């Protein structure tokens, strides 16, 4: 396993102060990490899971991927002790009274299946509320194993693991961020805490790299969907929610599961720009405003361009939208492009955008080449 170079980021080490009452996040240590612009490949909504851990005595491994920030209840105790919203292992001990301390190699681990395989740009190991019981250091490794391997298969001697985050000291009650610069497609992670302790949340930001053979068999699919390799590149406004919500799997389940902008007080309009999985032919469009009732967009249009320097061409003219409604449009002729843009007028929000189509011959070749280049 070879450690990879990391760019300097904010680092937190050492204990946080004991909880003294009031807002438990008042003294939380955090920073803005540039890689958080990318989707969370370990999101439960994408199908990620913590499939195994060597120890979860105090708190369950599954808590690592729970959406939202960790909660803290100072009065919540159980039969084994303080109940924490994270993954927490028991205290490690040495082999004898003469050597009661764990060795330098002792550590706990958890195996994480990414919801969507891809290239990892950054990892956040969040120790929120673990003030004196966080790990001294963490490390993260990645591997690429197709199919649905069992924990035993992943831990087999024939599986090659690549170091994404070398063993690094971390801080308690802090968002510990690590930039990753490995140009390789990963399907699973092994998260290690040295020698023991607790981690509240794990976030794995990166770019989805889908299996081109799977997309080829599907034929027609959503060419902008996050799980298929689409990406929300930019947006005019992210006041209430991220633009990437619009290409998440499934229908929105509540208002903040979509994209909503602040109220405009000018004559402009809001928009999102997307990168498709590869060059595609778009044949149908869905714009869903589920759960956006008094704040849905009034009108919307959709445009595409072919290539970074291509010209934008409108494929759906400005069309009236209804609140809390899934709108479907069949195009008169397929539209070819690599990027798409949805404009809403004047402001408000949409919950989902679906662009149904298929890869062009050129797009399929480019995706297959990238998949192979990244070790897929």
């Amino acid at each position: 396993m070879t450690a990879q170079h990391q760019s300097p980021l904010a680092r937190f080490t050492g204990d946080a102060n004991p909880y003294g009452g009031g807002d438990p996040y008042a003294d939380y240590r955090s920073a803005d990490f540039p890689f958080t612009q990318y989707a969370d490949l370990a999101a439960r909504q994408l199908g990620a899971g913590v499939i195994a851990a060597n120890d979860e005595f105090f708190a369950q491994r599954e808590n690592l991927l729970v959406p939202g920030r960790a909660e803290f209840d100072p009065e919540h105790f159980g039969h084994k002790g303080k109940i924490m919203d994270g993954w927490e292992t028991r205290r490690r001990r040495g082999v004898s009274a003469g050597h009661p301390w764990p060795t330098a190699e002792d550590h706990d681990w958890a195996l994480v299946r990414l919801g969507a395989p891809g290239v990892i740009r950054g990892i956040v190991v969040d120790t929120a509320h673990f003030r004196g019981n966080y790990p001294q250091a963490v490390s993260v490794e990645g591997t690429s194993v197709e199919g649905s391997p069992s924990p035993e298969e992943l831990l087999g001697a024939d599986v090659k693991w690549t170091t994404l985050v070398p063993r690094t000291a971390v801080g308690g009650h802090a968002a510990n961020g690590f930039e990753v610069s490995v140009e390789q497609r990963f399907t699973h992670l092994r998260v290690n805490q040295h020698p023991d302790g607790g981690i509240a949340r794990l976030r794995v930001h990166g770019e989805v790299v889908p299996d081109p053979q799977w997309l080829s068999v599907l034929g027609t699919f959503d060419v902008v969907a996050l799980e298929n390799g689409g990406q929300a590149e930019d947006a005019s406004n992210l006041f209430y929610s991220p633009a990437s919500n619009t290409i998440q799997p499934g229908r929105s389940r509540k208002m903040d599961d979509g994209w909503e902008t602040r109220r405009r007080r000018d004559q402009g309009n809001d928009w999102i720009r997307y990168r498709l999985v590869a060059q595609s032919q778009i044949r149908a469009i869905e714009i869903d405003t589920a759960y956006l009732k008094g704040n849905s967009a009034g009108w919307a249009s959709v445009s595409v361009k072919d290539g970074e320097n291509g010209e934008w061409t409108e494929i759906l003219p400005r069309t009236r939208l209804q609140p809390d409604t899934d709108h479907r449009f069949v195009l008169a002729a397929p539209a070819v492009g690599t990027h798409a843009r949805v404009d809403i007028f004047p402001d408000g929000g949409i919950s989902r955008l679906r662009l149904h189509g298929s890869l062009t011959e050129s797009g399929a070749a480019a995706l297959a080449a990238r998949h192979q280049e990244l070790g897929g």
Side-chain angles (χ1 to χ4, degrees):
M1 295 179 294
T2 304
Q4 303 292 330
H5 171 72
Q6 293 175 297
S7 301
L9 291 176
R11 288 283 182 263
F12 305 105
T13 57
D15 294 350
N17 293 325
Y19 176 63
D23 179 6
Y25 273 100
D27 59 343
Y28 176 66
R29 296 177 285 177
S30 185
D32 291 327
F33 302 120
F35 53 75
T36 56
Q37 65 179 295
Y38 296 101
D40 181 9
L41 304 183
R44 284 291 292 163
Q45 194 171 3
L46 282 175
V50 187
I51 61 175
N54 72 304
D55 186 286
E56 45 188 328
F57 185 86
F58 287 114
Q60 296 174 331
R61 64 183 190 261
E62 289 88 354
N63 289 334
L64 284 173
L65 305 187
V66 170
R69 66 182 190 174
E71 302 297 330
F72 180 73
D73 181 353
E75 304 299 326
H76 196 191
F77 287 84
H79 295 295
K80 294 181 179 179
K82 181 73 185 71
I83 296 176
M84 298 293 289
D85 185 9
W87 168 49
E88 186 180 6
T89 66
R90 72 190 76 203
R91 299 188 188 216
R92 282 185 169 268
R93 299 298 188 224
V95 295
S96 66
H99 199 287
W101 310 279
T103 69
E105 292 74 31
D106 285 343
H107 66 278
D108 292 319
W109 53 264
L111 294 177
V112 177
R113 180 193 63 242
L114 298 180
V119 179
I120 297 169
R121 302 302 183 192
I123 296 173
V124 178
V125 177
D126 191 343
T127 59
H129 315 305
F130 290 95
R131 296 169 176 268
N133 52 347
Y134 59 95
Q136 182 185 36
V138 300
S139 62
V140 183
E141 302 156 278
T143 191
S144 182
V145 179
E146 293 305 313
S148 303
S150 68
E152 292 75 20
E153 290 170 326
L154 288 170
L155 296 173
D158 59 331
V159 174
K160 178 186 176 183
W161 292 88
T162 299
T163 298
L164 306 180
V165 178
R167 183 169 174 168
T168 306
V170 295
H173 197 44
N176 299 278
F178 305 94
E179 198 166 38
V180 177
S181 55
V182 184
E183 288 297 317
Q184 186 176 333
R185 180 180 184 266
F186 294 101
T187 61
H188 294 79
L189 300 185
R190 183 162 59 189
V191 180
N192 306 303
Q193 46 179 337
H194 309 265
D196 54 39
I199 299 170
R201 295 289 188 268
L202 176 74
R203 303 295 185 239
V204 183
H205 297 279
E207 300 177 66
V208 176
V209 180
D211 180 352
Q213 184 178 11
W214 175 253
L215 296 184
S216 175
V217 169
L218 290 180
T220 297
F221 60 94
D222 183 358
V223 298
V224 76
L226 181 61
E227 61 188 327
N228 292 334
Q231 182 178 326
E233 289 191 319
D234 199 7
S236 60
N237 187 271
L238 302 172
F239 189 83
Y240 287 112
S241 47
S244 59
N245 279 357
T246 59
I247 54 175
Q248 291 281 1
R251 296 201 69 200
S252 176
R253 292 171 293 178
K254 50 193 177 76
M255 190 175 73
D256 66 351
D257 192 20
W259 171 61
E260 181 188 359
T261 71
R262 71 177 74 200
R263 300 188 187 208
R264 296 190 75 96
R265 302 306 187 198
D266 59 22
Q267 299 301 304
N269 75 284
D270 288 314
W271 51 267
I272 304 175
R273 186 180 73 241
Y274 303 90
R275 185 185 70 198
L276 309 184
V277 55
Q279 188 188 64
S280 304
Q281 286 190 330
I282 301 168
R283 299 184 181 85
I285 299 171
E286 280 187 77
I287 300 176
D288 196 351
T289 58
Y291 293 98
L292 294 162
K293 298 181 179 180
N295 49 358
S296 68
W299 293 261
S301 65
V302 177
S303 303
V304 299
K305 70 174 183 176
D306 193 21
E308 292 288 347
N309 300 319
E311 297 290 330
W312 288 105
T313 301
E314 190 175 72
I315 61 173
L316 179 71
R318 193 179 305 187
T319 302
R320 186 77 170 94
L321 299 182
Q322 299 299 323
D324 195 29
T325 301
D326 188 18
H327 309 76
R328 295 180 174 181
F329 309 95
V330 176
L331 301 184
V336 175
T338 57
H339 295 72
R341 171 176 166 140
V342 59
D343 286 85
I344 62 170
F345 302 87
D347 56 18
I350 61 174
S351 61
R352 295 290 187 270
L353 174 71
R354 304 296 188 213
L355 301 178
H356 301 287
S358 57
L359 297 180
T360 64
E361 185 176 341
S362 174
L367 181 61
R370 182 166 188 248
H371 185 264
Q372 184 176 18
E373 178 185 338
L374 295 172

